[in-house]
Amino acid sequence: MNLRRVAVVARKEWREISRDRVFLALAFALPVMWMLVFGYTMTFDVQNVPFAVLDYDHSAQSRDFAYRFVSSRYFEFRGYLTSAHEMDRLLEAAEVRLVITIPEHFERDIAAGRNARIATTIDGTFPNRAQTIQAYAESITQDYSARLRAHRIAAQAGITEDRALTLMQPLRLEIRYLYNQALRSSWSVAPSLVMFTLMFVPSLLTALVVVREKENGSIYNIYCSTVTRAEFLLGKLFPSATISYIDALVCTAIAVYYFGAPFKASPWFYLLATAVYVVCTASIGLLVSTLVRSQNAALMIASIVGIIPAIQFSGMINPVAILEGSAWVQAHLFPAMYFENIVLGSYLKGVGAETLWTNLCVLGGYAAVLMALSYHAFRKRQTH
Amino acid sequence: MLTVKELEQCARDFVLVAFMAYSFVGAVYISGTGVTQDLRNATILVHDADNTPQSRSLLYRFRQPYFKRIGTYTGESAGLARLDMGTAMLLLDIPEDFEATLSHSARPAQVQMLVDTSNVTLGYLAAAYGQQIVAEYAQERAQEGARRSGLDLRVLPSVENVSRVWYNPNLNGHWFNAIGQWLTMMTVIAVLLPATALVRERERGTLEQLLVAPLTPMQIMVSKALAMTLVNLVGTALSVYAVMLPLIGVPFAGSAWLFFATTALYVFSIAGLGLAIGAFARSSAEVGMLVILIAVPVTALSGTWTAPEAMPEWSRYGLQISPLYHFLSCAYGILLRGAQLRVLWSSILMLALLGAIAFGLAWLGLRRKFG
């Protein structure tokens, strides 16, 4: 291995990249656009859910109940409906996601101390949001019910309403949210997006580097030159990995300064881990590039290899702690999960090397294996 | 004729065929059977300082499908370390005087739950389900207590919520994932392939041959877009009939004809987008970057993965120019809700309009270069 020859290959590669202005501009613009578009659109906050009320009772009590939803910051009131037919239409057009139906005799049942049943009809198109809406509706109804009963007991037994509430609810669950106390979705999404973007962009940048020369035919210059396989591959990897690392810093800055995600740990470990991760994902692109024969194929393979494991099995959607069976195995097979652990640890949890070092080791090992595979796959004599 | 040439070119590219097969079958299957954002088996560590039959009976209620107890912890710092490492998601702490307070005290007893909210949705759901479990248990205890003190809780009013979910009654996240994956993959392919096909002809110099042949630029473009549409329709048919319906159980509530007709229209319009990219780009590398630059916002701003009302105000204008947003009402509408033509016509018109604009751009690009 001769470092000078590596540098020569790298310099040639850098010239080639920097002379294609559009490509160079995109290499920097893409991650920024990606962070911004996803940062804004990938929100898991369930707020301002549009809803309507179908009130068959038209009583003071039914309006009082409906008001509990109207005044909640989670819901956005779109008006009273007049018929079930209207409900069908609004739900089908996705203009409301929730309709609350209050039956006739709602007030009378409550006054008589009976059980009154209301119905909530939820649009299940987004199952996860529907689940959250269900939980909100359930909690508002339970709370309303408990207050009604406490009010009645207080009147019956001649005690205060607070005392009656304690009697009714002798046990409370105190909840402490850790890491993201305000449950702000962008705090969790922005760091994960750094992981996601860096899974994708570096491999895309390196995916073309070898195969382009194969298509041009300029690879024969390499085949008959004195530069060794390892020198050639390293030289090819270096410029793209450097661009990717700059991208990584930019993404981090966007997550922290633009989306306001807290960065609680020491930055040094994170910066080191990011470098290893970028080399790792860039090596994926390099491997693809040595394996295929056309730029098209390289682009397509590089763009799909990264995305699915990064979304599905990285812990971005579902914490790896609660995965089971094959999903758990797949999560551990791809590098995305290890870096997601590091990202969440560094940003939200504020833990450092002492907790996360195993993840870094795995990423390093991963990069080494990928490079070894590329080295093995790249032959100076073309075989067909 | 030219369409046949495009199709043959596709079929001979083995990598391409493998990629299509993976996208429409493999990727949809993986997403449709992979993880969903439902709360299932949230891993919980408990610290039961009271250790009475009552405390154990409360703990027993934190069970599957939502919760899964994976052990105990002693001392908060040990528990927190497990959360830091990400090997547990919740800590449940029952204090020493739990039972004593619950049965004899005038103040309510307290149980504490610590929730890892690095995933916001699941953190919230875990807390909400925890609340429900504790509230139910508390209510049962309250009834016993009230009986002892001579109150009759049966004549007390209550409001009960009967929850119904439409279109996906069991809130099966796999349906959502499979459909979303199919839409995303189809969008990427339908933009990427025509773009690379056009640029490749340019790089190899065969585009000039086409242009000097007795063909108009529009004929060249339409033949490429038609080929893409056919390929994507076959892919979609595979996706729907080989994966979504039999393996994932997605319902097909509406008309198959309408479904494939709108799919064809969608693919044709965004193939126009791909051709426009191909007409302006100079190299395959640029195409890759441009496709991602355009296909990503088209997908992200469509409402495929995020409900439109959850997005910020400005992005709702972006929705209107995303073809996928308009196709989404057709795809979800026909598959899940059984929507008919009279509900969908405005979306279909918008798709046609956006497609026409894309073809116009591509035509301009080709003319500028070679006209």
Side-chain angles (χ1 to χ4, degrees):
Chain A
M1 172 97 52
N2 183 332
L3 282 182
R4 208 168 53 84
R5 284 206 290 256
V6 175
V8 169
V9 175
R11 201 158 65 218
K12 176 222 152 239
E13 185 64 24
W14 170 251
R15 280 218 184 113
E16 204 166 341
I17 293 176
S18 61
R19 279 185 188 158
D20 189 344
R21 297 278 160 185
V22 180
F23 184 81
L24 187 68
L26 285 175
F28 290 107
L30 205 63
V32 174
M33 191 252 345
W34 194 290
M35 287 291 295
L36 292 180
V37 168
F38 279 124
Y40 274 116
T41 55
M42 270 193 45
T43 165
F44 298 114
D45 291 332
V46 183
Q47 283 175 7
N48 306 324
V49 177
F51 84 107
V53 178
L54 180 55
D55 183 358
Y56 287 114
D57 197 39
H58 301 292
S59 60
Q61 189 89 52
S62 69
R63 276 190 297 276
D64 182 47
F65 178 73
Y67 185 71
R68 299 298 151 115
F69 284 84
V70 176
S71 62
S72 156
R73 73 188 169 98
Y74 299 121
F75 295 104
E76 193 179 295
F77 185 49
R78 292 285 167 87
Y80 281 101
L81 305 180
T82 49
S83 66
H85 182 71
E86 210 183 345
M87 170 169 97
D88 292 357
R89 194 181 60 75
L90 286 178
L91 280 171
E92 192 168 320
E95 281 177 39
V96 299
R97 299 280 181 194
L98 162 76
V99 173
I100 297 158
T101 312
I102 304 175
E104 277 181 291
H105 312 312
F106 179 73
E107 191 174 52
R108 211 181 62 190
D109 284 342
I110 287 177
R114 282 196 293 266
N115 181 26
R117 283 182 169 192
I118 58 110
T120 47
T121 311
I122 300 168
D123 175 358
T125 309
F126 293 88
N128 197 252
R129 292 176 66 80
Q131 227 176 357
T132 308
I133 295 170
Q134 227 173 11
Y136 288 159
E138 190 62 43
S139 120
I140 291 181
T141 316
Q142 270 186 6
D143 186 57
Y144 189 77
S145 189
R147 276 171 200 286
L148 272 180
R149 293 153 75 91
H151 187 70
R152 196 64 61 87
I153 289 186
Q156 267 178 18
I159 52 178
T160 65
E161 221 163 291
D162 272 352
R163 177 80 189 90
L165 260 183
T166 308
L167 216 59
M168 297 287 313
Q169 296 274 317
L171 175 62
R172 305 263 161 88
L173 180 66
E174 189 206 345
I175 293 191
R176 255 173 64 198
Y177 292 119
L178 294 171
Y179 311 135
N180 187 353
Q181 284 84 351
L183 294 181
R184 210 170 296 160
S185 154
S186 62
W187 282 23
S188 299
V189 170
S192 300
L193 278 179
V194 176
M195 176 282 292
F196 182 48
T197 310
L198 295 182
M199 180 76 217
F200 194 71
V201 173
S203 72
L204 205 69
L205 290 179
T206 46
L208 295 174
V209 291
V210 178
V211 73
R212 187 167 50 213
E213 302 221 16
K214 285 193 207 164
E215 270 197 357
N216 292 341
S218 58
I219 193 81
Y220 288 101
N221 295 335
I222 303 300
Y223 288 156
C224 58
S225 76
T226 49
V227 71
T228 66
R229 289 189 283 166
E231 286 160 4
F232 175 68
L233 289 176
L234 274 182
K236 282 278 177 189
L237 188 66
F238 188 74
S240 304
T242 310
I243 294 180
S244 304
Y245 195 64
I246 299 173
D247 285 339
L249 298 179
V250 173
C251 289
T252 305
I254 294 178
V256 174
Y257 296 109
Y258 197 75
F259 289 109
F263 193 96
K264 295 179 183 162
S266 126
W268 302 114
F269 179 74
Y270 171 77
L271 289 176
L272 173 68
T274 307
V276 174
Y277 179 62
V278 161
V279 170
C280 185
T281 55
S283 307
I284 294 179
L286 193 66
L287 178 60
V288 170
S289 203
T290 54
L291 286 175
V292 300
R293 256 179 277 158
S294 79
Q295 295 192 55
N296 285 324
L299 273 179
M300 285 186 291
I301 294 174
S303 58
I304 53 164
V305 159
I307 285 189
I308 292 182
I311 296 182
Q312 288 266 308
F313 303 115
S314 63
M316 185 166 148
I317 294 180
N318 230 333
V320 177
I322 73 176
L323 294 183
E324 286 190 322
S326 70
W328 189 89
V329 174
Q330 291 185 64
H332 286 76
L333 281 179
F334 293 101
M337 180 204 93
Y338 301 97
F339 191 60
E340 175 78 358
N341 284 345
I342 293 175
V343 162
L344 290 180
S346 307
Y347 282 80
L348 296 170
K349 297 183 177 177
V351 295
E354 66 291 348
T355 315
L356 299 170
W357 63 273
T358 43
N359 292 296
L360 182 62
C361 292
V362 175
L363 284 179
Y366 217 103
V369 168
L370 283 167
M371 282 194 221
L373 282 176
S374 303
Y375 178 75
H376 194 70
F378 182 67
R379 301 274 156 179
K380 276 193 147 192
R381 180 178 295 160
Q382 219 166 12
T383 48
H384 284 284
Chain B
M1 205 45 222
L2 216 47
T3 313
V4 176
K5 168 214 157 235
E6 289 296 330
L7 286 175
E8 274 184 11
Q9 221 165 18
C10 273
R12 284 190 193 153
D13 192 336
F14 171 75
V15 177
L16 196 67
V17 173
F19 171 66
M20 305 280 285
Y22 170 77
S23 306
F24 279 110
V25 180
V28 172
Y29 179 75
I30 292 173
S31 301
T33 51
V35 300
T36 61
Q37 217 183 15
D38 308 337
L39 186 74
R40 293 271 179 278
N41 300 325
T43 40
I44 193 165
L45 286 173
V46 298
H47 174 233
D48 185 0
D50 198 39
N51 204 10
T52 54
Q54 286 75 14
S55 71
R56 283 194 295 272
S57 125
L58 174 64
L59 283 180
Y60 177 69
R61 290 168 188 241
F62 284 83
R63 58 171 186 247
Q64 279 155 340
Y66 299 135
F67 298 100
K68 184 175 153 197
R69 265 190 288 155
I70 53 165
T72 58
Y73 71 99
T74 43
E76 195 170 279
S77 59
L80 285 176
R82 295 289 300 270
L83 292 190
D84 280 347
M85 279 191 284
T87 50
M89 190 182 155
L90 307 160
L91 302 180
L92 189 67
D93 180 23
I94 299 188
E96 237 169 23
D97 53 354
F98 169 77
E99 177 50 29
T101 321
L102 190 55
S103 358
H104 305 296
S105 168
R107 63 192 165 84
Q110 284 215 334
V111 172
Q112 196 185 51
M113 182 151 92
L114 280 76
V115 185
D116 173 355
T117 51
S118 48
N119 183 312
V120 174
T121 313
L122 295 177
Y124 173 76
L125 284 176
Y129 292 145
Q131 286 288 13
Q132 277 175 25
I133 289 173
V134 170
E136 269 165 38
Y137 180 78
Q139 217 157 30
E140 285 167 28
R141 296 292 305 255
Q143 251 144 20
E144 289 167 27
R147 249 200 311 279
R148 278 201 301 272
S149 54
L151 281 168
D152 191 358
L153 290 181
R154 275 169 311 173
V155 298
L156 286 177
S158 64
V159 181
E160 188 189 341
N161 175 18
V162 185
S163 183
R164 291 176 299 190
V165 177
W166 283 7
Y167 312 133
N168 186 351
N170 297 322
L171 290 177
N172 185 332
H174 291 134
W175 297 4
F176 174 75
N177 281 355
I179 297 175
Q181 191 66 44
W182 159 64
L183 287 168
T184 309
M185 282 306 196
M186 187 167 69
T187 305
V188 172
I189 289 174
V191 177
L192 183 68
L193 290 194
T196 50
L198 201 57
V199 159
R200 192 167 44 193
E201 302 236 18
R202 164 109 40 86
E203 283 180 338
R204 291 189 182 157
T206 49
L207 189 62
E208 278 78 2
Q209 284 176 19
L210 283 179
L211 287 166
V212 295
L215 295 163
T216 62
M218 205 35 111
Q219 279 174 323
I220 296 172
M221 286 172 1
V222 168
S223 61
K224 288 197 188 295
L226 265 182
M228 270 316 103
T229 312
L230 284 174
V231 168
N232 274 288
L233 279 182
V234 173
T236 300
L238 274 176
S239 222
V240 172
Y241 292 111
V243 183
M244 287 195 224
L245 302 189
L247 300 178
I248 299 165
V250 177
F252 200 132
S255 136
W257 287 112
L258 189 59
F259 177 74
F260 284 102
T262 50
T263 307
L265 178 64
Y266 171 66
V267 174
F268 195 76
S269 346
I270 58 167
L273 208 59
L275 289 171
I277 295 175
F280 284 101
R282 279 174 310 180
S283 66
S284 292
E286 263 180 51
V287 165
M289 291 298 201
L290 280 171
V291 166
I292 292 159
L293 199 68
I294 290 175
V296 164
V298 163
T299 319
L301 288 173
S302 66
T304 310
W305 300 105
T306 315
E309 71 262 21
M311 297 183 188
E313 204 69 45
W314 59 264
S315 65
R316 298 187 199 175
Y317 303 104
L319 284 178
Q320 291 298 326
I321 57 166
S322 165
L324 187 51
Y325 171 68
H326 300 284
F327 179 55
L328 210 61
S329 11
C330 303
Y332 277 126
I334 298 169
L335 282 176
L336 297 182
R337 302 175 197 160
Q340 286 163 357
L341 190 58
R342 61 186 162 75
V343 191
L344 300 175
W345 65 268
S346 65
S347 310
I348 293 174
L349 272 184
M350 277 305 289
L351 271 182
L353 178 69
L354 290 169
I357 295 175
F359 270 91
L361 278 177
W363 184 70
L364 280 180
L366 271 187
R367 279 242 321 205
R368 206 190 56 172
K369 291 260 159 83
F370 302 98

